[in-house]
């Protein structure tokens, strides 16, 4: 086709060169004289049809190896004598749904061709186009195609006399690409809309072969821990195959010709991979391939934690014996021995929990350590809080000259109720989502023999939901806050009953150790698992020792060094005193609030409606000061019932 040929001659040349392909059924019905009942050969002696089509699927075929090899013939669309202005050559193009603009290009560039396929625009399916490829090659017929690269079909004919030759069109521009018809316009039944604008008739722009990646693969990766993250997504993203490499695989695919739609392409890709292993290895992300190794147990540290916990338990046992031995001493009576035994029981539980944290994780040890630690904390702090709250209530009532009734059984019930609630929570945790031995992967900086990083696997106690552990730590924090508030309110109570200063030190130490335990758990995934367990064990042991040192050591020292001589005896915390504990605390508060006798302005307060009168009890030969509030001759007298109420 040259420029000096006029448009009519150009049309005739195209119509004469590119004939229409015939389907198998059409050939047997219209061309063969006996409907292909006998083999049909063309003038060159080539076998065209060996038999008629056997079903409807074969009726529409353009090529079937050894049965129908295709036929090209002129139709009315190729007859330029009858239709000089409308005759066309044949164009093999895909359906309008494909991203091609062939009809618009041919229309506006004066290329008089069109398709006759089953599509509304005359397009053919992918299989039909490949069949026409083979039919044209077998019959040595000229054919005009719309196709793309890279594709194995092109490599099949590379180097033969049927090799594809590309037609050059005007180069693409930004304006041309923007003027392309849309898919809806390409599939329109209106030819004017289907052909689009002339500005959009340029050639195709070069495109880089893209690799399809499922969006679900990308969405599932970012939130995965690095040690569990698969390198598949990053590897696929790194893959870059050049057109030259694709052409090699396509040529090998075509050369096999054993199982073109299954085995052949797989074999071609595998052979290329075997010959280009270094290229494939370059696609693997850094730090891969990774390997695993089991975390080694630091036995000296573990045995040290167990020994420390065992020593703390022994100290708790020794303190318990001494507490029982000095139970009748003034300092112990004021501290209420029953509550001290509860506290020591809690410390014993914590010691057992510290040992369980240090040993190797198992399902039984994981469950047991949570029970011992949480109940231990409850037994350690709850009795102390209940006692301090009761003392604070009595003291506040006494300073206001009001009666306060404290029932010892109710105090014990308060402690028991809290312990029972904690036990119910632990039982629910154990039944619903029990702590179990779960693997913890840690990415190390060590390099394996393949150049990838080593992942170290250890085992920690975890539940499927982190909420259980969170609730446990929140509970411990709330207990510490409650103890802090009570310690502050109780700061003015007489020292024999007042544990506020020591309780404040205990709370301070507890808070620091609890914070450290929470930090260890939070950053546990980046530490060695046995290190996390042993640190937790040491912190629990430290909790036990500091409680003993702050709360019990001063009391035991006072009990062993201070003599309760009768001349120094006071009804406050005196075991032989006939006053009840309630009366003792009330008397202590009243004495503290007694106005200074040297200040007459404070001794009598007419505006307040009362005056202070000091009297005495006589109990076992001791003169005990008593404060009475007198208002309109109304006085308070000792209530024998109070002596039996704790």
């Amino acid at each position: 086709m040259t420029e000096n040929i006029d448009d009519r001659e150009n049309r005739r040349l195209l119509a004469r060169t590119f004939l229409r392909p015939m389907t198998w059924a059409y050939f047997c019905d219209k061309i063969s004289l006996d409907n292909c009942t006998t083999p049909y050969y063309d003038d060159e002696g080539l076998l065209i049809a060996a038999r008629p089509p056997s079903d409807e699927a074969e009726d529409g075929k353009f090529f079937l190896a050894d049965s129908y090899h295709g036929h090209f013939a002129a139709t009315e669309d190729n007859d330029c004598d009858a239709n000089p202005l409308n005759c066309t050559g044949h164009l093999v193009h895909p359906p309008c749904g494909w991203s091609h603009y062939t009809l618009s290009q041919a229309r506006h560039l004066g290329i008089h061709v069109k398709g006759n396929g089953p599509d509304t625009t005359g397009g053919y399916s992918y299989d039909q186009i490949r069949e026409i490829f083979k039919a044209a090659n077998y019959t040595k017929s000229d054919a005009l195609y719309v196709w793309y690269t890279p594709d194995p079909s092109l490599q099949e004919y590379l180097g033969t006399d049927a090799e594809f030759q590309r037609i050059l069109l005007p180069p693409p521009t930004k304006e041309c690409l923007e003027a392309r018809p849309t898919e809806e316009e390409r599939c329109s039944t209106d030819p004017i809309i289907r052909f689009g604008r002339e500005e959009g008739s340029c050639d195709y722009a070069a495109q880089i072969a893209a690799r399809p990646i499922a969006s679900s693969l990308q969405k599932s990766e970012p939130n995965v821990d690095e040690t569990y993250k698969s390198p598949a997504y990053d590897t696929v993203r790194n893959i870059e195959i050049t057109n030259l490499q694709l052409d090699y695989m396509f040529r090998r695919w075509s050369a096999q010709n054993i199982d073109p739609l299954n085995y052949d392409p797989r074999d071609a890709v595998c052979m290329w991979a075997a010959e280009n292993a270094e290229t494939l290895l370059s696609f693997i992300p850094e730090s891969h391939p990774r390997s695993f190794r089991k975390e080694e147990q630091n036995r000296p540290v573990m045995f040290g934690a167990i020994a420390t916990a065992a020593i703390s338990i022994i100290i708790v046992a020794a303190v318990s014996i001494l507490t029982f031995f000095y139970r009748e001493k003034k300092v112990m009576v004021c501290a209420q021995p029953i509550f001290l035994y509860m506290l020591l029981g809690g410390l014993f539980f914590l010691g057992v929990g510290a040992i369980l944290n240090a040993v190797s994780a198992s399902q039984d040890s994981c469950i047991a350590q949570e029970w011992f630690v949480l109940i231990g904390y409850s037994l350690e702090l709850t009795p102390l809080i209940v006692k301090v709250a009761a003392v604070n209530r009595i003291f506040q009532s006494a300073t206001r000259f009001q009666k306060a009734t404290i029932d010892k059984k109710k105090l014990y019930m308060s402690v028991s109720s809290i312990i029972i609630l904690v036990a119910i929570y632990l039982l629910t945790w154990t039944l619903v989502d029990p702590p179990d031995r779960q693997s913890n992967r840690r990415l190390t900086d060590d390099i394996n023999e393949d150049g990838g990083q080593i992942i170290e696997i250890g085992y920690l106690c975890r539940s499927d939901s982190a909420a259980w552990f969170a609730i446990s730590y929140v509970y411990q924090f709330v207990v510490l806050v409650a103890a802090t508030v009570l310690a502050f309110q109780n700061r003015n109570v007489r020292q024999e009953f007042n544990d506020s200063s020591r309780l404040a030190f205990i709370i301070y130490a507890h808070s620091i150790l609890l914070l450290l335990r929470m930090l260890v758990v939070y950053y546990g995934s980046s530490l060695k698992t046995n290190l996390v367990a042993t640190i937790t064990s040491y912190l629990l042991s430290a909790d036990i020792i500091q409680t003993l040192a702050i709360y019990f050591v001063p009391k035991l020292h006072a009990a062993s060094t201070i003599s309760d001589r009768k001349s120094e005896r006071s009804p406050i915390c005196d075991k032989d005193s006939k006053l009840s504990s309630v009366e003792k605390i009330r008397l202590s508060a009243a004495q503290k609030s007694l106005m200074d006798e040297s200040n007459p302005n404070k001794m009598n307060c007419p505006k307040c409606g009362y005056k202070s009168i000091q009297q005495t009890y006589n109990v076992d030969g001791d003169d005990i000061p008593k404060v009475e509030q007198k208002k309109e001759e109304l006085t308070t007298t000792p209530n024998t019932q109070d002596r039996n109420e704790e």
Side-chain angles (χ1 to χ4, degrees):
M1 190 177 358
T2 59
E3 293 183 357
N4 59 354
I5 301 178
D6 60 20
D7 187 64
R8 185 170 296 183
E9 288 301 319
N10 178 26
R11 185 183 291 274
R12 283 181 174 274
L13 178 60
L14 292 171
R16 189 169 55 248
T17 304
F18 302 113
L19 304 180
R20 262 73 184 175
M22 302 292 111
T23 63
W24 193 350
Y26 183 90
F27 178 82
C28 291
D29 291 341
K30 304 298 183 183
I31 308 299
S32 174
L33 299 178
D34 58 359
N35 293 326
C36 300
T37 55
T38 59
Y40 183 94
Y41 294 87
D42 65 1
D43 296 339
E44 302 294 331
L46 296 174
L47 176 64
I48 302 301
R51 60 176 178 82
S54 60
D55 52 33
E56 292 183 1
E58 291 186 349
D59 286 347
K61 284 188 172 296
F62 294 94
F63 183 90
L64 183 63
D66 300 327
S67 297
Y68 178 64
H69 296 145
H71 180 73
F72 291 81
T75 66
E76 293 181 358
D77 289 330
N78 296 86
D79 190 356
C80 290
D81 293 333
N83 304 296
L85 299 179
N86 295 319
C87 62
T88 60
H90 183 255
L91 174 66
V92 184
H93 66 82
C96 61
W98 288 35
S99 297
H100 75 98
Y101 312 96
T102 308
L103 300 181
S104 174
Q105 293 166 330
R107 171 77 175 188
H108 296 295
L109 295 177
I111 305 174
H112 304 293
V113 291
K114 73 172 185 178
N116 293 90
D119 183 63
T120 56
T121 60
Y124 297 90
S125 68
Y126 177 84
D127 291 337
Q128 289 174 328
I129 294 175
R130 287 181 55 84
E131 291 171 5
I132 296 173
F133 285 170
K134 296 177 181 180
N137 181 52
Y138 182 85
T139 61
K140 307 300 180 184
S141 302
D142 296 317
L144 185 63
Y145 300 96
V146 176
W147 210 234
Y148 54 88
T149 57
D151 183 74
S153 302
L154 304 181
Q155 305 302 323
E156 184 177 349
Y157 306 103
L158 193 65
T160 68
D161 54 357
E163 183 176 345
F164 288 63
Q165 299 295 324
R166 182 179 179 184
I167 297 176
L168 299 178
L169 302 178
T173 62
K174 179 180 178 181
E175 292 74 17
C176 174
L177 298 179
E178 292 176 351
R180 301 282 204 197
T182 64
E183 179 179 346
E184 182 179 356
E185 293 172 341
R186 294 196 304 268
C187 296
S188 175
T189 56
D190 187 343
I192 297 178
I193 297 176
R194 185 166 64 244
F195 293 143
R197 293 184 293 168
E198 183 177 357
E199 292 84 351
S201 59
C202 60
D203 204 347
Y204 295 93
Q207 293 182 341
I208 299 175
R211 49 186 176 275
I213 304 177
S215 59
S216 58
L217 178 62
Q218 182 182 11
K219 292 177 182 177
S220 65
E221 286 298 304
N223 297 327
V224 177
D225 185 84
E226 181 64 26
T227 57
Y228 288 87
K229 187 175 181 180
S230 169
Y233 179 71
D234 292 331
T235 302
V236 173
R237 287 188 57 189
N238 293 340
I239 293 177
E240 293 182 355
I241 305 296
T242 65
N243 286 344
L244 182 62
Q245 293 168 331
L246 285 174
D247 289 342
Y248 171 85
M249 287 183 270
F250 290 153
R251 286 198 300 272
R252 192 173 186 91
W253 180 359
S254 301
Q256 289 283 359
N257 199 27
I258 298 175
D259 187 5
L261 299 181
N262 186 16
Y263 173 79
D264 292 355
R266 294 169 59 188
D267 178 73
V269 173
C270 289
M271 291 302 297
W272 178 87
E275 296 170 2
N276 296 269
E278 293 184 0
T279 302
L280 290 176
L281 290 175
S282 66
F283 302 146
I284 299 176
E286 293 184 2
S287 79
H288 289 276
R290 294 172 178 171
S291 59
F292 298 91
R293 74 181 178 200
K294 187 176 180 180
E295 183 179 280
E296 295 181 0
Q297 186 79 11
N298 192 332
R299 294 191 174 276
V301 176
M302 181 188 71
F303 289 135
I306 295 175
T308 304
I311 292 172
S312 65
I313 292 176
I314 294 173
I315 297 175
V316 169
V319 171
S320 301
I321 295 172
L322 292 174
T323 301
F324 180 79
F325 181 77
Y326 292 119
R327 66 187 182 281
E328 297 182 355
K329 293 291 185 177
K330 170 183 174 181
V331 65
M332 293 300 179
V333 173
C334 284
Q336 298 295 311
I338 297 297
F339 286 96
L340 295 181
Y341 299 149
M342 291 183 182
L343 198 158
L344 289 168
L347 295 179
F348 175 81
F349 271 65
L350 283 180
V352 176
I355 293 178
L356 292 173
N357 269 275
V359 300
S360 299
S362 65
Q363 184 177 25
D364 294 336
S365 66
C366 289
I367 295 174
Q369 67 182 243
E370 296 303 328
W371 277 80
F372 277 99
V373 170
L374 205 57
I375 291 182
Y377 263 108
S378 301
L379 281 173
E380 176 190 359
L381 291 177
T382 304
L384 196 58
I385 292 174
V386 170
K387 189 194 78 169
V388 171
V391 172
N392 182 64
R393 178 184 171 190
I394 298 170
F395 181 78
Q396 296 297 331
S397 299
T399 56
R400 293 191 297 269
F401 295 98
Q402 295 177 353
K403 180 180 178 180
T405 302
I406 302 298
D407 189 349
K408 185 190 301 184
K409 293 182 179 179
K410 290 183 179 180
L411 297 183
Y412 296 154
M413 285 297 297
S414 298
V415 176
S416 301
S417 299
I418 295 176
I419 301 301
I420 291 173
L421 289 175
V422 172
I424 292 174
Y425 170 76
L426 288 168
L427 181 61
T428 304
W429 184 358
T430 303
L431 296 176
V432 175
D433 186 14
D436 199 358
R437 179 176 181 263
Q438 296 185 9
S439 64
N440 179 71
R441 298 184 179 185
R442 187 176 64 90
L443 188 63
T444 68
D445 295 329
D446 300 337
I447 305 300
N448 57 32
E449 58 184 9
D450 296 320
Q453 287 181 280
I454 297 176
I455 297 177
E456 201 167 60
I457 300 179
Y459 296 94
L460 282 174
C461 293
R462 289 175 180 169
S463 294
D464 293 335
S465 174
W468 300 101
F469 288 97
I471 294 174
S472 173
Y473 282 107
V474 169
Y475 163 73
Q476 296 174 49
F477 176 76
V478 170
V479 171
L480 290 177
V481 171
T484 303
V485 173
L486 290 173
F488 178 78
Q489 292 179 347
N490 214 38
R491 66 192 184 279
N492 293 325
V493 177
R494 182 163 175 162
Q495 189 60 39
E496 286 90 342
F497 297 98
N498 185 9
D499 289 323
S500 61
S501 59
R502 295 191 183 98
L503 182 58
F505 281 112
I506 293 175
I507 293 169
Y508 178 73
H510 269 309
S511 301
I512 294 177
L513 294 172
L514 178 62
L515 178 61
L516 291 175
R517 287 172 53 212
M518 293 174 65
L519 291 176
V520 169
V521 172
Y522 183 79
Y523 292 103
S525 58
S526 60
L527 301 173
K528 289 188 174 184
T529 53
N530 56 26
L531 183 61
V532 172
T534 51
I535 290 176
T536 303
S537 178
Y538 279 118
L539 291 175
L540 291 174
S541 299
D543 216 337
I544 298 170
I545 295 172
Q546 64 88 15
T547 302
L548 294 174
I550 295 173
Y551 193 75
F552 282 93
V553 170
K555 293 183 182 299
L556 294 175
H557 177 73
S560 63
T561 58
I562 298 177
S563 176
D564 293 338
R565 295 188 304 271
K566 185 174 181 179
S567 60
E568 297 175 354
R569 289 173 61 190
S570 168
I572 307 300
C573 296
D574 191 344
K575 175 181 178 297
D576 297 326
S577 175
K578 295 182 179 180
L579 295 179
S580 66
S581 296
V582 174
E583 287 182 341
K584 294 173 185 178
I585 300 172
R586 185 185 300 163
L587 178 57
S588 174
Q591 289 177 340
K592 183 174 182 61
S593 63
L594 181 62
M595 296 181 180
D596 188 357
E597 295 182 5
S598 61
N599 190 341
N601 294 328
K602 294 183 180 180
M603 284 292 296
N604 299 289
C605 183
K607 293 181 180 181
C608 302
Y610 69 89
K611 62 180 180 179
S612 297
I613 303 174
Q614 180 170 335
Q615 297 180 359
T616 61
Y617 288 115
N618 186 277
V619 181
D620 294 341
D622 291 327
D623 291 333
I624 305 171
K626 169 181 173 293
V627 177
E628 293 181 343
Q629 177 183 341
K630 183 175 183 181
K631 184 176 182 181
E632 297 179 355
E633 304 302 327
L634 178 63
T635 62
T636 61
T637 59
N639 191 336
T640 57
Q641 181 182 359
D642 292 344
R643 298 179 184 177
N644 298 321
E645 294 174 344
E646 295 294 327

